[in-house]
Amino acid sequence: MRVNPQELPEGLADPDEGISVEELQLAARNHGMPLEALAYDITPVGMHYLLTHWDVPETDAETWTVGVDGLVDRSLSLSVDDLRARPAVTMAVTMECAGNGRARLSPRPISQPWIQEAVGTAEWTGTPLAPILSEAGLRSDAVEILFTGADHGIQGEVEQDYQRSLSIEEAMREEVLLAYAINGQPLPPQHGSPVRLIVPGWYGMTSVKWLRTIEAVPEPFEGFQMDAYRIRDHADDPGVPVTYLRPRALMIPPGFPEFLSRRRHVDAGPTEIRGRAWSGAGPVAGVEVSIDGGASWSDADLGPQPSRWAWAPWSFLWQAAAGKYELLCRATDRAGNVQPVDQEWNFHGLQNNMTQRVPVLVR
Ligand SMILES: Nc1nc2c(c(=O)[nH]1)N[C@H]1C(S)=C(S)[C@@H](COP(=O)(O)O)O[C@H]1N2
Ligand SMILES: [Mo]
């Protein structure tokens, strides 16, 4: 029996329940980044992961405006040209879905069934939000900034626009952008055309796509998409909000795969294991690799991050001898967070950062 099938369509799967057609339907719309794309500093646009809760709205960049209102001295209405005329910043940012890793939890929370590939690093171009909020003049009774997207749907039986808020302090961080370009091109429909919010360091749900309004509000916003992103043990647990990215390292699975199982085959000899690692709380301090299923660990070489908010490349030289292996990699950040080998479970399957495991056959 699923937990609360009426109240929580996204409850828990039975212990032996396979991925349903409904989950497959979500997975086919919201694709992950193929792990071989870890080869690129900047993920090519079509290989960046995608997560859209409802439909991709049809938008018109010519007539689009972003409204700034609520508890401000002067309401603003900014066209895409107005945003482009303002100071531009281009920044590499690693984005990851808070549900990444969900499908490997047991019992499995029913939702978009990510395994570990809901990540990508894009070069976003936009204009900083803070000067716009200053120009509008935040009133002293404003406590949060509420961001509303143009998409609309039902989730948890609540009909809603996609809405997320940030504290004023977070919204005023200099790296928070209103982005209109990705990797040097105008945003494509699926990534939020024509304007989206980019909040570096946070899980992806905060970076509202198809941004319509920015509203200064007098109370902390408690809408569905705030409640849905909390780490809780059970449905009634108030839980704690999901915010910054936990540390994670991923590797490009070495060798070549078998079609269906994707099991890896490697020729014996020196094999370079490469990957990327990131963390929102602090830059990555180190990456370790295990070739014996986690029994022992060795340090990988860590390269420079393309920006403070983007993943770092790492590599490790493996002298592969014939046999069966399980390769693992894990990251540590400068705030002292270490990636766990086994995942702690939570009700919505959020903020998972358990280590990747790659079975390899060396011949
Ligand atoms: N308007 C709107 N913004 C949204 C979403 C959405 O469904 N609607 N999904 C969020 C989630 S959960 C994630 S992980 C990121 C994904 O961004 P991407 O599809 O550009 O990779 O967008 C966020 N912004
Ligand atoms: Mo997400």
Side-chain angles (χ1 to χ4, degrees):
M1 264 278 292
R2 289 185 187 175
V3 173
N4 291 340
Q6 268 73 47
E7 293 79 8
L8 287 159
E10 300 157 45
L12 304 176
D14 286 340
D16 299 321
E17 188 179 331
I19 300 280
S20 65
V21 171
E22 284 178 353
E23 288 168 289
L24 174 60
Q25 181 171 251
L26 281 176
R29 292 178 54 82
N30 296 308
H31 66 76
M33 182 192 73
L35 292 180
E36 58 273 31
L38 290 164
Y40 309 101
D41 251 356
I42 302 300
T43 313
V45 173
M47 294 178 102
H48 192 284
Y49 88 96
L50 271 185
L51 194 294
T52 296
H53 287 233
W54 306 301
D55 291 349
V56 172
E58 202 179 331
T59 58
D60 179 2
E62 297 290 308
T63 56
W64 193 265
T65 54
V66 179
V68 183
D69 51 30
L71 301 174
V72 293
D73 295 332
R74 286 164 296 278
S75 297
L76 306 173
S77 174
L78 302 163
S79 69
V80 178
D81 282 344
D82 292 337
L83 294 172
R84 284 181 179 273
R86 300 180 65 91
V89 173
T90 295
M91 206 188 318
V93 176
T94 296
M95 195 186 290
E96 182 181 11
C97 180
N100 201 10
R102 175 186 285 132
R104 293 165 74 203
L105 297 181
S106 179
R108 187 181 74 256
I110 294 186
S111 186
Q112 166 70 26
W114 298 120
I115 299 173
Q116 59 209 346
E117 61 296 298
V119 68
T121 297
E123 216 162 42
W124 301 98
T125 301
T127 193
L129 173 64
I132 292 174
L133 294 177
S134 301
E135 259 174 59
L138 289 180
R139 283 176 26 192
S140 59
D141 47 347
V143 301
E144 279 195 348
I145 308 295
L146 175 61
F147 301 90
T148 303
D151 50 335
H152 188 89
I154 301 172
Q155 198 178 348
E157 298 185 338
V158 180
E159 188 177 329
Q160 58 192 286
D161 295 331
Y162 190 90
Q163 291 188 302
R164 287 275 314 179
S165 69
L166 282 174
S167 69
I168 288 172
E169 195 190 346
E170 287 290 333
M172 293 296 284
R173 283 167 50 210
E174 64 174 2
E175 59 274 9
V176 174
L177 299 183
L178 302 185
Y180 45 75
I182 177 171
N183 297 2
Q185 306 159 32
L187 295 187
Q190 67 274 23
H191 285 298
S193 171
V195 183
R196 78 177 298 174
L197 185 66
I198 290 291
V199 185
W202 280 62
Y203 281 98
M205 72 285 168
T206 310
S207 292
V208 176
K209 304 196 270 191
W210 313 292
L211 185 63
R212 285 249 73 146
T213 58
I214 299 171
E215 191 187 345
V217 294
E219 306 280 345
F221 174 64
E222 290 179 350
F224 185 90
Q225 300 298 336
M226 303 307 287
D227 191 60
Y229 289 95
R230 297 178 76 90
I231 302 290
R232 37 171 70 101
D233 290 337
H234 52 83
D236 303 322
D237 179 358
V240 294
V242 172
T243 57
Y244 280 75
L245 297 166
R246 285 185 176 164
R248 187 178 216 132
L250 288 176
M251 73 178 90
I252 304 175
F256 57 87
E258 191 273 324
F259 170 68
L260 187 60
S261 66
R262 299 204 61 79
R263 288 260 162 66
R264 312 302 300 187
H265 296 253
V266 170
D267 289 329
T271 301
E272 194 185 39
I273 314 279
R274 287 188 300 153
R276 307 266 165 190
W278 62 93
S279 172
V284 172
V287 172
E288 296 162 288
V289 173
S290 172
I291 58 161
D292 53 13
S296 65
W297 296 86
S298 308
D299 287 334
D301 290 325
L302 197 61
Q305 294 171 259
S307 86
R308 160 68 185 88
W309 302 108
W311 56 23
W314 58 266
S315 65
F316 177 79
L317 193 64
W318 178 33
Q319 299 296 341
K324 273 187 170 175
Y325 298 87
E326 193 182 33
L327 308 187
L328 281 70
C329 56
R330 70 175 178 203
T332 305
D333 69 22
R334 276 197 227 149
N337 304 299
V338 188
Q339 213 186 318
V341 173
D342 297 307
Q343 188 57 52
E344 274 180 48
W345 188 89
N346 67 81
F347 188 75
H348 300 298
L350 299 170
Q351 261 187 336
N352 305 299
N353 62 339
M354 72 179 107
T355 53
Q356 180 188 13
R357 289 174 181 269
V358 182
V360 174
L361 184 67
V362 180
R363 58 176 188 188

